[in-house]
Amino acid sequence: MVSILLTIGESILSDVISRLVDKATTSDFLHFVRKENLEVEIKKWRKTLTKLNAVLADAEKRKTTSEASDSVKEWLTSLKALVYDVEDVFDEVNYEALRLKFTSESQATNYSSKMRALIPSCCSSFSLSNIKFGSKLKDITSRLDQIVKEKNDLGLTEGSYAKLEKRKPTTSSITKLPDTVTALYNLETLILYQCSYLDELPAKIKNLIELHELDLSYTKHLHEMPSGISSLTKLHKLSKFILSKGDKHRIRELQGLTRLRGKLSIYGLENVQDVHDVRIANLKGKEGLDDIALIWSNEFYDSRDEMLEMQVLEWLEPNKNLKVLEIKSYGGNDFPSWLGDPYYANMERITLSGCKKSKWLPSLGRLPLLKYLRIEGNNGVESVGREFSGSNSFPKLDTLEFENMLNWVDWRFAMLKNVQAWRSSPRHAIILKASLKDGVMKKSFK
């Protein structure tokens, strides 16, 4: 049993580090870091991570066999936390790199004269606002230096990296995990990233009470979760929570997961039957979550209850620390009262997509730090006006994207307190794609 645990532990951490090293060598990523003068720093991170990866096998062996086993365990714990912080930074860089690429491609597109008339002069040339790494960049660099120093003090040796790479499991084609995994009672990390064919989790996953991270990112065939997730009270990271048909009160299982942080995506919200269950889940009380996606089915069948979905979204109010929010395929005809409230002073990005029944857009102009706003496929919207921008008119907004708003015909949009200020700043962009009905849209800036 011990040997199985060791192999899983070092392979998982090695896999994460290897993904980071690979991500940092992609062309879009490299182009962006060069543009932002971060190439030297990121190159140093990449080399350091590769060297740390090379001593993992020795560290895993010595944490159970050497006199310094406690120190080695602490070192591995510190390394794990550091690696996931690096991953968060790389994800942010990658996002900005892709957005820059999209903006450049959009600039090269030949817009029709009607489409050009809708885009203010400030947006005729796009540019991307810089990512301010600030103290985060310095902190990670300092921690990397410290972790290397501790590695040397512990006498951890390199040279086993090649062996580790050969042992690393390939999980992309698995459809289920063996039930024996649930007997690994001390398992802290279970990464199933990009296991595209995985369609079920072990029924007794609730036995893994020491689990700190369950990464289900890009598991597109996974449409249900076993009961008992609420038993995993030590979870810090849960990338996906799925509600399937017939789950009834399953969303209540989020109640006890008070340590969650980072990103959480909740799928299958059309299957919630009682709004009281959502209240018990208490999303607002999970203050470590700063990135939340709320996702309903994109099939708008007759049995979906618009009023219930409005109540569900009202009670899915997140915590005040939220920075990123996505609402997808929501079936209510109005958005909740909390969306756009300046109480959410840290909100930086919002995506509203496929909310076909909503007839109005929420008032988002009062959010003081909102930089990026994307609205896609909200076909019930016919007019966008003052109710959208409010009196503050998006003080920090960099990019506003509308796409596939097929019934939108009227734009009476008091978007900015000072339109001239927007026109003089090249960092702002309004992107319109396939947002015209019959090729006609009225606009006015007030």
Side-chain angles (χ1 to χ4, degrees):
M1 185 65 69
V2 172
S3 62
I4 294 175
L5 281 169
L6 292 178
T7 301
I8 290 177
E10 67 191 44
S11 295
I12 287 174
L13 187 54
S14 175
D15 190 38
V16 175
I17 294 175
S18 296
R19 288 205 317 266
L20 291 178
V21 172
D22 291 342
K23 183 178 291 186
T25 57
T26 62
S27 58
D28 291 338
F29 189 100
L30 288 173
H31 176 74
F32 181 81
V33 297
R34 286 167 185 156
K35 178 179 178 294
E36 301 297 326
N37 296 318
L38 297 172
E39 185 177 13
V40 174
E41 199 73 30
I42 298 299
K43 186 176 181 180
K44 178 182 177 182
W45 288 13
R46 191 173 68 240
K47 288 184 175 180
T48 302
L49 287 171
T50 300
K51 290 181 179 179
L52 293 172
N53 209 1
V55 304
L56 279 181
D58 188 36
E60 289 286 355
K61 179 180 179 180
R62 292 178 58 182
K63 80 176 186 181
T64 57
T65 60
S66 72
E67 294 181 358
S69 60
D70 290 341
S71 298
V72 174
K73 288 178 183 178
E74 290 178 5
W75 183 84
L76 284 168
T77 299
S78 298
L79 175 60
K80 186 186 300 182
L82 176 58
V83 165
Y84 290 130
D85 285 343
V86 172
E87 184 177 34
D88 288 341
V89 172
F90 277 19
D91 285 343
E92 186 176 356
V93 170
N94 197 49
Y95 175 88
E96 293 294 339
L98 292 174
R99 188 157 73 94
L100 176 63
K101 182 179 180 181
F102 170 78
T103 303
S104 300
E105 291 173 351
S106 298
Q107 183 181 16
T109 302
N110 293 321
Y111 292 101
S112 66
S113 58
K114 291 180 180 178
M115 183 67 82
R116 287 181 183 275
L118 293 169
I119 303 179
S121 59
C122 68
C123 307
S124 58
S125 63
F126 299 137
S127 67
L128 189 68
S129 61
N130 295 330
I131 295 178
K132 305 296 185 183
F133 277 103
S135 60
K136 184 186 292 187
L137 187 69
K138 294 179 181 178
D139 175 65
I140 289 178
T141 299
S142 175
R143 288 163 63 194
L144 278 169
D145 291 340
Q146 180 63 27
I147 209 93
V148 170
K149 179 181 181 300
E150 292 173 359
K151 184 238 344 166
N152 294 335
D153 290 344
L154 290 169
L156 298 175
T157 58
E158 300 180 7
S160 50
Y161 179 67
K163 296 180 181 179
L164 184 57
E165 284 295 294
K166 292 178 181 178
R167 282 213 303 274
K168 186 167 50 179
T170 300
T171 58
S172 60
S173 62
I174 66 170
T175 59
K176 62 179 297 185
L177 296 177
D179 292 336
T180 52
V181 168
T182 60
L184 304 177
Y185 302 117
N186 293 315
L187 193 65
E188 295 183 358
T189 302
L190 181 55
I191 296 179
L192 299 169
Y193 179 89
Q194 285 189 336
C195 293
S196 302
Y197 298 97
L198 185 73
D199 57 19
E200 65 177 292
L201 294 174
K204 295 183 179 179
I205 196 170
K206 62 184 179 182
N207 292 346
L208 301 178
I209 58 175
E210 296 296 324
L211 203 60
H212 288 185
E213 177 177 3
L214 178 56
D215 189 349
L216 302 171
S217 303
Y218 303 103
T219 51
K220 61 182 180 180
H221 284 97
L222 186 63
H223 299 304
E224 60 181 350
M225 300 181 78
S227 61
I229 296 295
S230 58
S231 300
L232 309 181
T233 57
K234 294 186 179 181
L235 272 180
H236 289 178
K237 298 188 75 172
L238 176 64
S239 57
K240 179 188 293 188
F241 187 81
I242 305 169
L243 304 167
S244 55
K245 190 172 182 179
D247 277 346
K248 294 185 178 180
H249 309 298
R250 181 64 57 80
I251 197 170
R252 290 188 180 196
E253 295 206 32
L254 289 174
Q255 180 185 18
L257 306 184
T258 58
R259 302 185 184 185
L260 291 179
R261 63 179 179 86
K263 181 173 182 176
L264 172 65
S265 299
I266 305 177
Y267 290 80
L269 284 165
E270 73 281 359
N271 294 310
V272 174
Q273 298 179 14
D274 189 341
V275 70
H276 182 63
D277 296 332
V278 183
R279 296 172 62 181
I280 292 175
N282 188 23
L283 205 58
K284 190 174 184 178
K286 294 164 179 49
E287 297 187 353
L289 292 174
D290 60 11
D291 186 341
I292 292 177
L294 305 173
I295 303 170
W296 284 256
S297 168
N298 58 10
E299 296 181 4
F300 287 82
Y301 37 79
D302 294 339
S303 61
R304 284 180 60 170
D305 186 333
E306 292 183 16
M307 184 58 67
L308 176 60
E309 293 194 18
M310 289 174 62
Q311 293 173 345
V312 167
L313 187 53
E314 186 71 51
W315 282 103
L316 284 171
E317 181 178 1
N319 72 83
K320 65 181 179 181
N321 300 317
L322 194 68
K323 294 181 179 180
V324 181
L325 174 67
E326 178 182 7
I327 299 176
K328 186 173 183 179
S329 301
Y330 163 63
N333 59 26
D334 202 358
F335 286 95
S337 57
W338 55 262
L339 184 54
D341 191 318
Y343 169 78
Y344 292 97
N346 297 307
M347 190 84 77
E348 297 179 359
R349 306 174 192 271
I350 295 179
T351 300
L352 306 175
S353 65
C355 304
K356 298 179 180 180
K357 297 295 184 70
S358 59
K359 299 179 180 178
W360 303 275
L361 296 178
S363 180
L364 300 174
R366 296 179 299 161
L367 295 171
L369 295 182
L370 187 65
K371 298 177 182 179
Y372 176 84
L373 176 57
R374 175 177 174 81
I375 301 169
E376 175 189 359
N378 293 11
N379 294 337
V381 175
E382 297 181 1
S383 176
V384 177
R386 186 177 295 275
E387 76 288 343
F388 175 53
S389 58
S391 58
N392 286 12
S393 298
F394 301 102
K396 295 292 185 179
L397 193 65
D398 290 340
T399 301
L400 173 63
E401 298 183 13
F402 291 101
E403 183 171 354
N404 293 326
M405 304 281 285
L406 300 182
N407 291 306
W408 182 20
V409 295
D410 186 36
W411 185 355
R412 301 189 182 279
F413 187 15
M415 192 168 104
L416 308 156
K417 289 187 289 188
N418 188 339
V419 175
Q420 294 304 319
W422 249 59
R423 289 179 175 173
S424 67
S425 176
R427 69 190 181 91
H428 297 117
I430 298 178
I431 301 169
L432 301 171
K433 295 177 63 181
S435 298
L436 304 176
K437 182 178 182 180
D438 301 326
V440 178
M441 183 186 295
K442 291 179 282 184
K443 79 171 181 69
S444 65
F445 292 98
K446 299 181 180 179

